[in-house]
Amino acid sequence: MSQQNSSGNRDGSAGAANTGPPHSAPAKPIQIKVVLLGDAAVGKSSLVLRFVNDEFQENKEPTIGAAFLTQKVRLDDTVLKLDLWDTAGQERFHSLAPMYYRNAQAAVVVYDITRAQSLDRAKSWIKELQRQAKPNIVIALVGNKLDLVADQENEEAEDADADADADADADADTDAEHTTATEGKERQVQTSTARAYAEESGLLFLETSAKTGEGVVETFTEIAKKLDLNQIASNNQAARPGQLNSGSANVNFLSEGSQSEQRNTDGCAC
Amino acid sequence: MEQPEHQGIATTSNTSRAARKLSEHELEHLEDFHSPEWRQHSRHFLVLSSAGKPIYSRYGDEAQLSTLMSATQAIISTFADMSDPVRSISIGKHTVVFYTNGPLYLLAASDRGDPDDLLRGELQLLYSQIVSILTAAQLTKIFEQRSNFDLRQLLGGTQGIIDQFIDQLDTDFTFALGSLDTLWMRYRLRERIGKALLVARPKGLLYAMVVADMKLVTLLRPRKHSLHPADLHLLFSMATSNVFMTGEHWTPVCFPRFNDQGFLHVYIKYITSNVVLLLISADRDSFFAMNKYCEQICKDLASDDSLQRLDDAAAQRALRPYELGVGPGMLLQLYYKHKTLVQHFGTRFADSVDEAQQLRIINTYKRLRIYMTKGGQGPLRIVYYKSAANTVLAWQSSSFELFAAFAPKADVKSMIRTVNMVLEWIKSEEDHLFVINAPSY
Ligand SMILES: Nc1nc2c(ncn2[C@@H]2O[C@H](COP(=O)(O)OP(=O)(O)OP(=O)(O)O)[C@@H](O)[C@H]2O)c(=O)[nH]1
Ligand SMILES: [Mg+2]
């Protein structure tokens, strides 16, 4: 009987198809595994939260272990399902990282443009990826927290007055105690330096702000563009059943599509 | 349990077990405890390495802390060679309690008269919290290799989790009771959720638990084993952190009572805004099996309206005192621990009890419990303590522990009568109050 029950999945698949345009063979989304790496507090979780929920939290708690989120995106005519592994930057979780990047097709390595050290950390992640991850992994180097210096840079450019209160409405200073205060933040990593490094190492390079959203969607779009989607799609199909993760593409897809269709009364299987 | 049918006061008072009123003296420093400034009083928790390096502190006023830190170091090193290590001292109004385990020195200081035993118990829990993050094996190894290692490096990012735990120790009686808090729910619904856990149990899964606000809804466990409540408290407390509210999470956790030398792996997912699914696995590569299992559980529970009803029950959080078969009246709050099941439930506080009073009541429960379980009390089973704001009663039998707070005007007789009514009600509601037929495999 449990066999029959599992044919509920087939119903689900029909349901999923119904949500797409009739008959035009709704392309199954291409599943892409993306891992985020980088030093603690550079904004990995914030970037993911901005990308997935379009939200920002001023005092995001440090990630424990790793968080897994998914987001579907459309690139031209292709639907992509991004499986995002948001890893913890804290040192004690370092040894777990290979588990997350091992199968990843793409990696977002994040640093904080106001903290030079975090770029060093990013570089060592990139080295590790180049040694140990899939050989054709697409890596994006991302300098985050652009909003912290954007005003300064504009003001400098415009030779404006040094009125530090200009952006007082930007955020609630009161509960910013854990983050470093907004004012007095200076860029420690020049765009040109990081870009040069990225080009030399064959990486995508972007600067972002999880707070304003600047560059966030672009990061994932750039990655998607650089990926060999045809290759991935055919690999996904060919994935052997024994492999970690092989079955889950189906399950995610089906259960999402079939939610509304499913009206099984809880039939007893025995 | 094979208890005489009637546990009521009738039996009790006929023998020499009459309810006994406690003096302030017997509960240690209660004058302090009930002073109006009590709220401003504070508790400090410090953890240092045996080399005196700061590892953790709660309520960090830097000036006070450095004094305390250096005092601690001095005291500990003075007494280090003695066979009976220093356990507690009084400095002015502060009680300072020490606890050492492995390479860690833990210290609690309270200026509101918390009894030593209470603070020591809390320090032990704080120690297990740190072990649950790092394992005892790792702690020992690190300090063997480098005795002046700065452990803050490795505990980075856990400050919030530990702070939250310490605050919960103070505001929640659960940890002191040593049993699992349960969520009130219709028996049929609980059974339904338990069944969903059985549908597609993945390989590698050890435990599956459905939890709302640190209260157990149901669980799936191995037939021959159960995790220690203290281990689950650590996990339930951690799972209340905001960090888990979005997405699915996968992290190593050490369960000190189960095995303090290694990690298990925990899958954490809020399946509704109030309900979290916790899956414990021995296999660190089993995330996707857990992810799939979770989806199947949710799909199953959503196929009728069970998921919604589960969330509704969780949103209720706890019963109100007047829902315990006694009607509105003098009962302000109550905890009942079922000793055989190692489970308990607590009600909400009556609306009239403000936050400061709530803390006082919880604190009085803890003191009464220590007083009663300390031994040497012989047949003493019911004690109560009267203050201006309320009367708190504690009742122990071989099958239950009960703690209740009443309005100050309640007399002994009416308190006992109320409690007897509640005991009757609990007996008839046991199925809905506790997790009784949780599935096992
Ligand atoms: N101003 C500003 N603050 C940011 C930005 N991104 C993140 N933050 C803040 O930086 C802090 C850390 O952000 P997280 O997203 O938690 O960093 P993380 O990289 O996930 O950290 P771990 O999980 O510990 O590795 C939080 O207080 C965020 O609010 C940003 O673009 N601009
Ligand atoms: Mg994070």
Side-chain angles (χ1 to χ4, degrees):
Chain A
M1 283 305 270
S2 65
Q3 290 269 352
Q4 278 231 313
N5 256 3
S6 74
S7 75
N9 279 348
R10 239 184 28 219
D11 299 347
S13 127
N18 287 342
T19 63
H23 286 292
S24 66
K28 196 165 133 182
I30 301 175
Q31 186 188 21
I32 294 171
K33 286 166 245 155
V34 184
V35 64
L36 284 96
L37 297 164
D39 206 357
V42 295
K44 298 177 293 298
S45 303
S46 301
L47 288 169
V48 171
L49 197 64
R50 170 61 75 195
F51 181 57
V52 174
N53 286 355
D54 200 18
E55 278 173 23
F56 177 76
Q57 287 173 16
E58 206 60 61
N59 281 304
K60 187 99 189 75
E61 302 86 353
T63 304
I64 309 279
F68 180 78
L69 294 96
T70 60
Q71 175 69 13
K72 275 194 192 156
V73 291
R74 186 179 286 276
L75 184 73
D76 304 327
D77 285 336
T78 324
V79 180
L80 306 179
K81 177 169 162 281
L82 302 183
D83 284 356
L84 304 164
W85 273 117
D86 169 24
T87 66
Q90 297 294 341
E91 184 184 326
R92 73 175 178 287
F93 295 116
H94 186 163
S95 63
L96 297 176
M99 188 160 89
Y100 304 112
Y101 65 64
R102 206 170 40 207
N103 294 315
Q105 281 107 7
V108 179
V109 180
V110 186
Y111 67 94
D112 173 348
I113 59 169
T114 67
R115 213 153 49 81
Q117 258 181 4
S118 67
L119 179 63
D120 296 338
R121 192 74 195 85
K123 287 180 179 174
S124 74
W125 277 121
I126 288 162
K127 283 211 193 80
E128 184 169 335
L129 287 171
Q130 288 170 337
R131 263 199 329 266
Q132 321 228 37
K134 290 190 176 199
N136 55 349
I137 187 170
V138 170
I139 303 174
L141 177 67
V142 168
N144 187 39
K145 308 203 184 178
L146 194 53
D147 59 285
L148 290 181
V149 301
D151 290 343
Q152 281 172 31
E153 284 169 2
N154 287 341
E155 280 166 26
E156 277 161 25
E158 291 161 23
D159 183 41
D161 58 282
D163 187 359
D165 298 332
D167 60 341
D169 62 317
D171 57 316
D173 304 291
T174 43
D175 52 8
E177 45 169 325
H178 275 293
T179 57
T180 22
T182 319
E183 86 266 4
K185 272 287 174 190
E186 291 203 355
R187 182 189 274 276
Q188 287 189 1
V189 179
Q190 294 310 317
T191 311
S192 52
T193 323
R195 174 170 291 129
Y197 165 75
E199 272 167 14
E200 183 183 303
S201 316
L203 321 171
L204 293 168
F205 172 72
L206 293 99
E207 288 189 330
T208 60
S209 165
K211 185 166 173 172
T212 65
E214 185 174 352
V216 177
V217 174
E218 289 83 343
T219 299
F220 293 95
T221 313
E222 289 300 309
I223 287 174
K225 282 191 194 154
K226 196 172 169 186
L227 283 165
D228 185 347
L229 295 175
N230 291 331
Q231 169 85 39
I232 292 169
S234 60
N235 279 354
N236 281 356
Q237 303 239 302
R240 276 175 291 119
Q243 271 179 334
L244 176 76
N245 197 7
S246 59
S248 63
N250 281 331
V251 170
N252 286 342
F253 178 54
L254 293 182
S255 68
E256 269 171 35
S258 60
Q259 259 167 15
S260 49
E261 315 294 314
Q262 204 84 29
R263 290 217 95 230
N264 289 353
T265 42
D266 175 38
C268 180
C270 34
Chain B
M1 289 221 64
E2 54 287 1
Q3 264 303 299
E5 259 291 7
H6 233 79
Q7 265 299 322
I9 188 65
T11 351
T12 309
S13 57
N14 284 344
T15 64
S16 61
R17 297 171 184 174
R20 165 126 180 267
K21 181 176 179 177
L22 295 184
S23 68
E24 292 197 336
H25 171 72
E26 284 171 298
L27 287 188
E28 298 189 46
H29 314 295
L30 271 170
E31 318 86 310
D32 268 1
F33 170 55
H34 280 281
S35 71
E37 307 87 55
W38 183 76
R39 286 277 283 177
Q40 289 139 38
H41 292 189
S42 56
R43 288 152 31 107
H44 293 275
F45 288 84
L46 299 179
V47 183
L48 348 174
S49 72
S50 39
K53 281 240 157 104
I55 292 173
Y56 169 83
S57 76
R58 180 74 182 119
Y59 311 124
D61 174 306
E62 287 305 323
Q64 267 189 54
L65 278 182
S66 56
T67 317
L68 270 173
M69 291 263 186
S70 45
T72 310
Q73 218 183 323
I75 293 158
I76 289 176
S77 55
T78 311
F79 288 85
D81 299 331
M82 298 176 64
S83 55
D84 183 25
V86 58
R87 309 203 74 185
S88 85
I89 54 171
S90 298
I91 311 173
K93 286 180 70 182
H94 282 87
T95 307
V96 184
V97 173
F98 301 93
Y99 171 69
T100 70
N101 197 330
L104 300 189
Y105 287 152
L106 299 95
L107 170 156
S110 160
D111 65 357
R112 55 179 218 210
D114 286 329
D116 291 6
D117 287 339
L118 176 64
L119 295 172
R120 191 165 299 110
E122 291 178 337
L123 286 178
Q124 283 163 355
L125 292 173
L126 176 56
Y127 174 78
S128 22
Q129 167 85 50
I130 293 172
V131 169
S132 82
I133 296 165
L134 293 174
T135 74
Q138 204 181 340
L139 270 179
T140 314
K141 200 173 120 207
I142 288 164
F143 286 107
E144 268 170 13
Q145 286 169 353
R146 283 169 61 192
S147 65
N148 66 348
F149 184 82
D150 185 354
L151 197 65
R152 281 178 300 188
Q153 251 171 275
L154 278 186
L155 284 176
T158 53
Q159 177 91 25
I161 302 268
I162 302 178
D163 287 355
Q164 165 187 296
F165 180 65
I166 286 178
D167 294 350
Q168 286 166 348
L169 281 180
D170 205 26
T171 55
D172 197 313
F173 193 32
T174 291
F175 306 94
L177 275 174
S179 44
L180 291 186
D181 199 358
T182 53
L183 183 72
W184 187 93
M185 167 176 294
R186 288 267 141 225
Y187 176 78
R188 292 289 289 280
L189 180 58
R190 203 190 300 279
E191 197 180 41
R192 168 76 183 86
I193 296 159
K195 254 193 183 160
L197 298 182
L198 278 171
V199 166
R201 185 170 61 86
K203 248 197 267 166
L205 179 76
L206 296 176
Y207 283 81
M209 285 166 291
V210 180
V211 176
D213 190 31
M214 297 204 286
K215 297 176 185 63
L216 184 67
V217 172
T218 189
L219 83 171
L220 171 65
R221 62 177 184 83
R223 201 169 313 244
K224 289 196 183 131
H225 185 266
S226 62
L227 278 176
H228 196 282
D231 280 349
L232 294 179
H233 287 157
L234 293 172
L235 177 61
F236 292 3
S237 164
M238 182 175 99
T240 61
S241 166
N242 268 335
V243 73
F244 300 113
M245 299 293 164
T246 35
E248 293 160 81
H249 299 260
W250 183 240
T251 185
V253 176
C254 168
F255 295 91
R257 304 275 190 137
F258 172 73
N259 171 16
D260 68 2
Q261 300 296 301
F263 286 114
L264 293 175
H265 298 269
V266 182
Y267 171 96
I268 303 172
K269 163 93 199 263
Y270 272 81
I271 57 174
T272 75
S273 52
N274 296 297
V275 179
V276 63
L277 178 68
L278 300 169
L279 307 176
I280 303 179
S281 165
D283 173 7
R284 81 174 202 178
D285 287 326
S286 59
F287 172 83
F288 285 102
M290 301 302 140
N291 155 282
K292 189 171 162 187
Y293 177 51
C294 174
E295 274 181 14
Q296 280 165 334
I297 291 168
C298 291
K299 193 170 156 188
D300 181 24
L301 290 177
S303 67
D304 47 29
D305 59 349
S306 302
L307 197 61
Q308 185 57 48
R309 288 194 296 146
L310 168 60
D311 192 53
D312 292 345
Q316 293 295 318
R317 282 167 191 272
L319 295 165
R320 295 166 190 280
Y322 59 77
E323 292 177 297
L324 269 50
V326 293
M330 289 185 289
L331 184 62
L332 303 179
Q333 202 277 339
L334 180 139
Y335 272 100
Y336 177 93
K337 170 174 170 177
H338 192 303
K339 285 189 175 176
T340 320
L341 293 171
V342 203
Q343 292 173 17
H344 67 262
F345 74 92
T347 69
R348 298 198 208 186
F349 281 90
D351 293 340
S352 60
V353 185
D354 66 22
E355 222 175 285
Q357 275 304 319
Q358 295 183 8
L359 267 179
R360 284 199 174 103
I361 289 170
I362 298 288
N363 198 284
T364 309
Y365 288 165
K366 291 180 186 168
R367 289 160 193 254
L368 289 171
R369 184 162 195 274
I370 287 169
Y371 184 82
M372 291 182 99
T373 48
K374 231 174 174 173
Q377 304 305 334
L380 184 66
R381 294 201 153 193
I382 303 174
V383 295
Y384 66 97
Y385 175 77
K386 232 174 162 49
S387 74
N390 52 57
T391 303
V392 173
L393 174 137
W395 186 338
Q396 307 240 13
S397 84
S398 56
S399 61
F400 69 83
E401 292 180 31
L402 182 146
F403 298 83
F406 292 87
K409 57 181 183 293
D411 59 20
V412 182
K413 245 189 176 161
S414 61
M415 287 194 300
I416 300 288
R417 196 179 332 113
T418 305
V419 168
N420 273 325
M421 283 164 70
V422 172
L423 288 173
E424 279 301 314
W425 180 85
I426 288 173
K427 210 180 282 170
S428 67
E429 286 283 309
E430 217 165 65
D431 284 353
H432 312 302
L433 287 166
F434 299 109
V435 182
I436 293 187
N437 287 319
S440 58
Y441 64 88

